[in-house]
């Protein structure tokens, strides 16, 4: 199992870089408890790291909040969901 500390140590980017990617300079309050605090964006946005990202998300106490907030995100792993999984979920819940 990959630990959050290991991912933080391996990360290439700081939180500020992720803020630039997400275009969210202000984080929601729930993010203070996120398992990915301090883990670089490369873990969540490079397909080769998706399994490590999912592993971290599955242990995250705020995954539900994250899933709701990330519903329309196009790129990256959020709440253990790949872009494809999010797209499928959006289609499934879209009005006909
Ligand atoms: S569920 Fe969201 S907030 Fe939690 S570790 Fe995954 S990406 Fe970060």
């Amino acid at each position: 199992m990959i630990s959050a500390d290991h991912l933080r140590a391996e990360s290439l980017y700081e939180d500020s870089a992720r803020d630039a990617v997400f275009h969210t300079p202000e984080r929601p309050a729930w993010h203070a408890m996120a398992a990915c605090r301090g883990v670089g964006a490369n873990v969540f946005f490079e397909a080769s790291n998706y399994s490590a990202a999912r592993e971290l998300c599955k242990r995250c106490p705020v995954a539900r909040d994250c899933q709701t907030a990330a519903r329309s995100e196009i790129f990256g792993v959020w709440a253990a969901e790949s872009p494809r999984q999010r797209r499928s979920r959006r289609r499934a819940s879209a009005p006909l």
Side-chain angles (χ1 to χ4, degrees):
M1 178 183 294
I2 298 171
S3 72
D5 287 340
H6 173 79
L7 291 173
R8 284 183 192 102
E10 291 289 313
S11 294
L12 299 175
Y13 306 104
E14 299 296 329
D15 279 352
S16 58
R18 185 171 8 175
D19 287 342
V21 172
F22 291 173
H23 307 289
T24 54
E26 291 183 24
R27 294 173 182 276
W30 53 261
H31 197 266
M33 295 182 291
C36 60
R37 291 276 312 158
V39 175
N42 59 314
V43 173
F44 295 88
F45 288 92
E46 290 177 12
S48 61
N49 293 329
Y50 279 5
S51 61
R54 282 196 188 102
E55 204 174 303
L56 192 58
C57 292
K58 287 175 184 171
R59 292 179 275 144
C60 180
V62 293
R64 284 222 182 252
D65 294 302
C66 179
Q67 186 181 46
T68 300
R71 186 179 188 279
S72 56
E73 291 291 339
I74 296 170
F75 302 107
V77 168
W78 295 71
E81 286 185 329
S82 68
R84 180 178 292 182
Q85 289 170 314
R86 260 193 322 279
R87 211 168 29 249
S88 295
R89 196 161 54 82
R90 279 196 301 271
R91 280 197 202 113
S93 63
L96 297 175

